[in-house]
Amino acid sequence: MRLCVIGCGYVGLVTGACLAEAGHEVFCTDIDTDRIAKLNTGGVPIYERHLEEVLHSARKGGRISFTSDAGQAIRAAKAIFICVGTPPKENGEADLSAIDHCARQIATEADGPKLVIEKSTVPARTGLELTRALSAYSRSSNLRFRVASNPEFLREGTAVDDFFHPDRIVVGVEEESAAVDLREIYGPILDRRFHCPTHNGTCPAEQRAELLVTTINSAELIKHASNSFLALKISYANVIADLCERLGGDVEEVTHAMGLDPRIGGRFLKAGLGFGGFCFPKDIQAFIHLAASVGVDFDILKAVERVNKERIDRFLEKVRKALWVVKGKHIALLGLAFKADTDDVRFAPALEVLKRLIAEGAVVHATDPEAMSRTKLLFPQALYHDDAYEALQGADAALVCTEWDAFKKLDWERAGKVMSRKLVLDGRNLYSPAAMRALGFEYHSFGRSSASAVSASY
Ligand code: UGA
């Protein structure tokens, strides 16, 4: 099918590239002309595992193209995916102006009927507004637009893998024909008719997805409800960590045992600096706001947000307690991205830590495998090192803020020899307290006593 993708951020690019790889003809457009120019010269504007090779293959097969001319992309396609940003406003409400802009573009540029699919994360009832906007902006009463919601569940860093191996594909529709079209679009994914960059043709059988057809309102709610629940699990684990610190337990032992109960599940129970990124923090706020707008007080989510913000305070309390005076101290900051395997620093806990350390007069030596160039633009005051051991050279303390594999595998014996003081504050619980202490480190993490039985690589 001929498809259009509006918005070439990570969701749009992954959607476009994967659907092209699955055999569709995809026309991508974005108002950012630099981004389109980069894509047209073979570049990839974001770091996302496997994206480059999937894009390369789709380009080679002539199944994907990029244009700044939205009208051209819209007219070429039968179905249009809206993948634009929905950032938070000052009051937490989702800013839907980019969606509104897309509606105007589609309604004025289309020369035939279109299926308009919202993939951007939007509050419930946006589909209804989108349908209204499309008809209000349309110059011809003969043009028919069908609207569908198809929320994405793509994690940054593993988005290509998630697209090809979804747990579920949710399509919210108001008419059966839209569900039929979406089933055709996702047919190659459901039937495994694509070249998988991860498994090279042998994807695990148990990973087969289910296509769920719901109403548009339900589909929109499924997205917000899912992200908020995952955030809730993280904050829950973080409160357990606080309790462990006060009562003498070990959060890794507690959450490990909890997670063995299949009704709970072990994922997203990792205590530490908390969640960041451009999804959880803004989606929680938007969901709280949406609930309030219809008279429902989403108290639990407010607590989730509060607990998450307090993680940074707790971490810095530990830093101050260990260092006594922060001003003038050389601090190695390991990790800037909001999580591993991405260069995204939006709402990254590490950046808040960095900001506060600089405000307190510390000399920060930062390192991150992918996110340094983005951070340098925001915090030119910090010093940046490609090599973690260089960042640790002469440091009074090492602060671990992102769970990168490279940091999990760090040779702390070597690091200890170059640090000025053997002090590690681990915001991601990457190492075993006992092993770190055995190496002579003063080691602080979240919710763990020194007698930890469950240990990581150290
Ligand atoms: C999240 C969801 O996981 C995706 O399903 C969803 O599609 C996406 O948002 C979105 O709405 O677009 P993402 O923001 O890429 O994906 O990141 P996650 O892997 O979910 O991690 C979020 C944050 O939680 C990270 O800062 C991570 O370090 C933190 N985290 C995660 C914890 O602190 N503890 C955990 O146990 C798990």
Side-chain angles (χ1 to χ4, degrees), residues 197-213:
T198 322
H199 303 108
N200 232 341
T202 49
C203 305
E206 72 273 14
Q207 283 189 8
R208 280 199 184 268
E210 198 180 324
L211 187 128
L212 300 170
V213 181

Side-chain angles (χ1 to χ4, degrees), residues 13 33 52 58 60 94 124 138 148 153 274-275 291 317 343 379 446 454:
L13 276 181
T33 48
E52 199 164 349
K60 224 171 83 188
S138 176
F153 303 103
F275 57 81
E317 275 161 25
D343 60 352
F379 294 99
F446 277 101
V454 179

Side-chain angles (χ1 to χ4, degrees), residues 152-154 156 223 227 268 270 276 279 338-339 403:
E152 51 86 11
F153 303 103
L154 310 175
E156 280 185 47
K223 170 68 194 218
N227 270 9
F268 281 72
K270 187 89 183 155
C279 300
F338 83 95
K339 65 171 190 178
E403 60 276 30

Side-chain angles (χ1 to χ4, degrees), residues 234-245:
I234 297 169
S235 279
Y236 190 88
N238 280 326
V239 176
I240 300 295
D242 289 347
L243 274 176
C244 286
E245 285 181 20

Side-chain angles (χ1 to χ4, degrees), residues 1-4 16 19-20 22-27 62-65 76-77 79:
M1 195 185 289
R2 302 184 97 191
L3 308 172
C4 164
L19 288 175
H24 298 292
E25 196 178 345
V26 184
F27 303 85
R63 293 185 306 276
I64 195 160
S65 57

